[in-house]
């Protein structure tokens, strides 16, 4: 047989961040720097297993009461309770009134997919808005679910290097009632620029007036500022105002559990009377998508969050990671200023979290990749964790050279 049923399958476009990472690995030149990867790195440029996570792994591995039976479809109860309390706060009225609950998912991506499936199939929502720019998977997840009315709202002002609140509000004001609005809870990916608390209040006012549905993507709680409560401020503000909403949580960054795919979908309702119906329908969705979630990572997060001493160790870890990122932001800005690099670089320190929209254009990015072997996205987004005391001087001088030789847009 010479023919194949796969003959007409077309080659898909490469996923940029993975293509850059592979190019970095294949690059035999030195020095070289990878600023594209979406994961934390130490000052030595290595992945970091949080000490509290390692300790917890050992205790789980030696606990002979633990077996490998299936978890319930909606996950490990001790994990979902702890995750939901972490994002809403221990004193949350929604929790006390049993208007909120969690469902374990396959990291934040899985939470987004389950949320999208529920919104599309149960609530018959077909319109979604996400920021421009946003994490590229937002569009794909909702499109693959079946949403056909996919829109973006203005978010980043490239000229001013700041949040375009006026444009954001104007675009959301045009959204039809019941539209799903994806909001980044903290450490906006990819810009690193978050609304202030006053700006969040304006956003909430509009969403309430227009009868829109907020869906928070919370991938960096605690990892952004080092304070989980501060990083959850926007979510808790919306909940306190009486919004019904979803929160999609990931524990990849703030626990360093990238490959374990630990996530939680927090559901907040106006009345606890709807809980059983919603929970049953989500259970059916999960059953059809992946049957039930994995236990290992959830057990780690559960034990850490539910054990006061371990939780304090975790708090120390996230403070350490967020502090290193802030230090790299300050060092990069200061070195660019010292070099006299054209443009204003204050936006680097005004941003928060892992990522920074540097303001570099595609030509400048191409120079960095081809001439200096510094790998970053064509949008100019960099992972601040890829910087360390050993390479930041090299990176700053390379950026200076790229901008000086091609000063457009700066």
């Amino acid at each position: 047989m010479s023919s194949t049923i796969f003959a007409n399958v077309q080659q898909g476009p490469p996923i940029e961040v993975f293509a850059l990472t592979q190019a970095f690995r294949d690059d035999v030149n030195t020095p070289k720097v990878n600023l594209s990867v979406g994961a934390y790195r130490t000052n030595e440029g290595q992945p970091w297993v949080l000490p509290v996570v390692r300790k917890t792994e050992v205790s789980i591995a030696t606990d002979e009461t633990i077996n490998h039976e299936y978890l319930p479809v909606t996950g490990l109860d001790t994990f979902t309770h702890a995750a939901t309390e972490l994002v809403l706060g221990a004193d949350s009225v929604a929790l006390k009134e049993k208007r909120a609950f969690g469902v374990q998912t396959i990291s934040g991506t899985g939470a987004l997919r389950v949320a999208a499936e529920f919104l599309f199939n149960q609530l018959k929502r077909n319109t979604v808005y996400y920021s421009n720019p946003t994490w590229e998977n937002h569009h794909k997840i909702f499109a693959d679910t079946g949403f056909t009315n996919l829109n973006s709202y203005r978010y980043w002002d490239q000229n001013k290097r700041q949040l375009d609140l006026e444009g954001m509000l104007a675009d959301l004001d045009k959204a039809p009632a019941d539209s799903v609005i994806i909001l980044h809870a903290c450490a906006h990916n990819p810009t690193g620029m978050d609304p202030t608390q006053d700006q969040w209040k304006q956003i909430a006012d509009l969403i309430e007036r227009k009868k829109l549905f907020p869906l928070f993507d919370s991938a960096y709680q605690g990892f952004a500022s080092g304070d989980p409560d501060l990083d959850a401020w926007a979510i808790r503000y919306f909940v306190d105002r009486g919004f019904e909403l979803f929160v999609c949580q990931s524990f990849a960054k703030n626990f360093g559990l990238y490959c374990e795919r630990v996530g939680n979908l927090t559901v907040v309702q106006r009345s606890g009377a709807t809980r059983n119906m919603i929970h049953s329908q989500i259970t059916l969705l999960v059953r059809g998508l992946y049957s039930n979630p994995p236990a290992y990572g959830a057990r780690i997060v559960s034990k850490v969050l539910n054990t006061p001493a371990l939780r304090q160790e975790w708090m120390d870890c996230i403070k350490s990671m967020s502090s290193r990122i802030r230090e790299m932001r300050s060092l990069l800005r200061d070195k660019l200023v010292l070099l006299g690099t054209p443009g204003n670089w204050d936006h680097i320190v005004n941003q928060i979290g892992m990522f920074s929209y540097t303001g570099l254009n595609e030509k400048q990015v191409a120079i960095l990749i081809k001439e200096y072997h510094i790998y970053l996205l064509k949008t100019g987004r960099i992972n601040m964790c890829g910087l360390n005391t050993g390479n930041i001087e090299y990176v700053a001088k390379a950026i200076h050279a790229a901008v000086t030789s091609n000063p457009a847009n700066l």
Side-chain angles (χ1 to χ4, degrees), residues 107-128:
S107 204
T109 301
L112 284 160
R113 183 56 185 259
V114 172
E117 292 279 353
F118 181 88
L119 291 164
F120 184 74
N121 291 295
Q122 288 298 318
L123 300 187
K124 308 304 178 185
R125 305 294 172 92
N126 188 43
T127 302
V128 63

Side-chain angles (χ1 to χ4, degrees), residues 12-149:
I15 300 174
E16 186 181 9
V17 66
F18 296 114
L20 286 168
T21 298
Q22 187 59 52
F24 172 80
R25 290 171 179 163
D26 294 340
D27 192 339
V28 298
N29 292 278
T30 54
K32 62 177 182 177
V33 182
N34 187 2
L35 301 181
S36 67
V37 65
Y40 181 79
R41 293 291 183 264
T42 66
N43 192 56
E44 293 70 42
Q46 298 300 314
W48 190 41
V49 178
L50 277 59
V52 68
V53 167
R54 182 69 82 198
K55 178 193 297 186
T56 305
E57 287 183 300
V58 171
S59 69
I60 290 173
T62 56
D63 186 347
E64 295 188 2
T65 67
I66 295 176
N67 56 42
H68 297 290
E69 288 293 301
Y70 291 117
L71 289 182
V73 174
T74 53
L76 185 68
D77 285 346
T78 56
F79 163 73
T80 57
H81 291 161
T84 302
E85 184 178 284
L86 180 69
V87 75
L88 298 184
D91 59 349
S92 168
V93 175
L95 281 175
K96 292 178 180 177
E97 295 178 351
K98 301 188 184 304
R99 295 187 288 107
F101 66 91
V103 174
Q104 186 183 338
T105 58
I106 302 177
S107 204
T109 301
L112 284 160
R113 183 56 185 259
V114 172
E117 292 279 353
F118 181 88
L119 291 164
F120 184 74
N121 291 295
Q122 288 298 318
L123 300 187
K124 308 304 178 185
R125 305 294 172 92
N126 188 43
T127 302
V128 63
Y129 283 74
Y130 39 78
S131 64
N132 179 22
T134 194
W135 181 48
E136 73 280 354
N137 224 10
H138 282 149
H139 177 93
K140 182 169 177 55
I141 290 168
F142 279 78
D144 287 355
T145 299
F147 279 70
T148 57
N149 192 2

Side-chain angles (χ1 to χ4, degrees), residues 131-407:
S131 64
N132 179 22
T134 194
W135 181 48
E136 73 280 354
N137 224 10
H138 282 149
H139 177 93
K140 182 169 177 55
I141 290 168
F142 279 78
D144 287 355
T145 299
F147 279 70
T148 57
N149 192 2
L150 298 108
N151 309 273
S152 64
Y153 56 83
R154 280 170 284 178
Y155 190 86
W156 174 250
D157 187 324
Q158 177 71 356
N159 293 322
K160 296 181 179 179
R161 309 289 194 268
Q162 65 184 26
L163 172 68
D164 182 4
L165 180 67
E166 183 177 344
M168 177 183 182
L169 294 176
D171 289 343
L172 292 182
D173 196 41
K174 298 174 185 176
D178 297 329
S179 296
V180 179
I181 311 300
I182 299 177
L183 302 165
H184 298 231
C186 64
H188 182 271
N189 179 5
T191 70
M193 185 63 68
D194 290 347
T196 65
Q197 291 184 2
D198 285 340
Q199 289 172 333
W200 273 121
K201 292 175 182 178
Q202 294 179 61
I203 295 166
D205 288 342
L206 187 147
I207 289 178
E208 183 177 46
R209 176 171 58 82
K210 293 289 295 184
K211 296 180 171 58
L212 309 175
F213 184 86
L215 187 156
F216 281 94
D217 188 348
S218 179
Y220 305 98
Q221 187 184 356
F223 185 87
S225 69
D227 181 350
D229 294 325
L230 180 60
D231 291 345
W233 186 91
I235 295 169
R236 295 178 189 181
Y237 175 74
F238 272 67
V239 172
D240 288 345
R241 282 188 55 159
F243 281 93
E244 294 188 302
L245 53 81
F246 284 159
V247 184
C248 300
Q249 295 170 260
S250 167
F251 292 87
K253 272 74 175 184
N254 58 8
F255 269 77
L257 292 169
Y258 299 95
C259 67
E260 302 303 340
R261 316 308 295 143
V262 189
N264 186 63
L265 172 62
T266 287
V267 180
V268 179
Q269 311 137 89
R270 191 164 291 121
S271 169
T274 57
R275 183 195 185 283
N276 289 342
M277 287 79 81
I278 297 172
H279 191 274
S280 67
Q281 290 298 334
I282 292 179
T283 300
L284 292 172
L285 284 174
V286 171
R287 178 64 174 163
L289 287 169
Y290 51 87
S291 188
N292 63 313
Y296 183 66
R299 284 174 176 156
I300 294 172
V301 174
S302 174
K303 185 161 187 173
V304 171
L305 292 182
N306 288 305
T307 307
L310 295 178
R311 188 178 182 122
Q312 183 57 53
E313 288 185 44
W314 172 68
M315 293 282 288
D316 294 340
C317 289
I318 57 176
K319 287 177 181 177
S320 174
M321 290 189 287
S322 61
S323 295
R324 196 184 92 73
I325 293 171
R326 286 196 297 272
E327 180 186 4
M328 290 302 107
R329 287 187 179 279
S330 294
L331 282 175
L332 180 60
R333 191 276 307 270
D334 292 350
K335 287 183 181 299
L336 290 172
V337 171
L338 185 63
L339 289 167
T341 309
N344 187 314
W345 300 95
D346 288 346
H347 58 281
I348 292 176
V349 294
N350 292 334
Q351 297 163 349
I352 191 172
M354 179 183 292
F355 299 115
S356 171
Y357 243 39
T358 59
L360 298 171
N361 60 41
E362 287 194 36
K363 290 183 179 179
Q364 293 160 347
V365 169
I367 292 171
L368 290 175
I369 295 174
K370 294 177 182 178
E371 298 184 18
Y372 295 93
H373 310 282
I374 298 172
Y375 292 85
L376 67 161
L377 272 61
K378 62 184 178 182
T379 58
R381 189 207 82 173
I382 64 173
N383 177 3
M384 298 304 301
C385 305
L387 296 173
N388 55 60
T389 53
N391 65 26
I392 198 164
E393 186 90 26
Y394 176 75
V395 171
K397 289 180 177 179
I399 291 175
H400 175 80
V403 172
T404 302
S405 63
N406 194 319

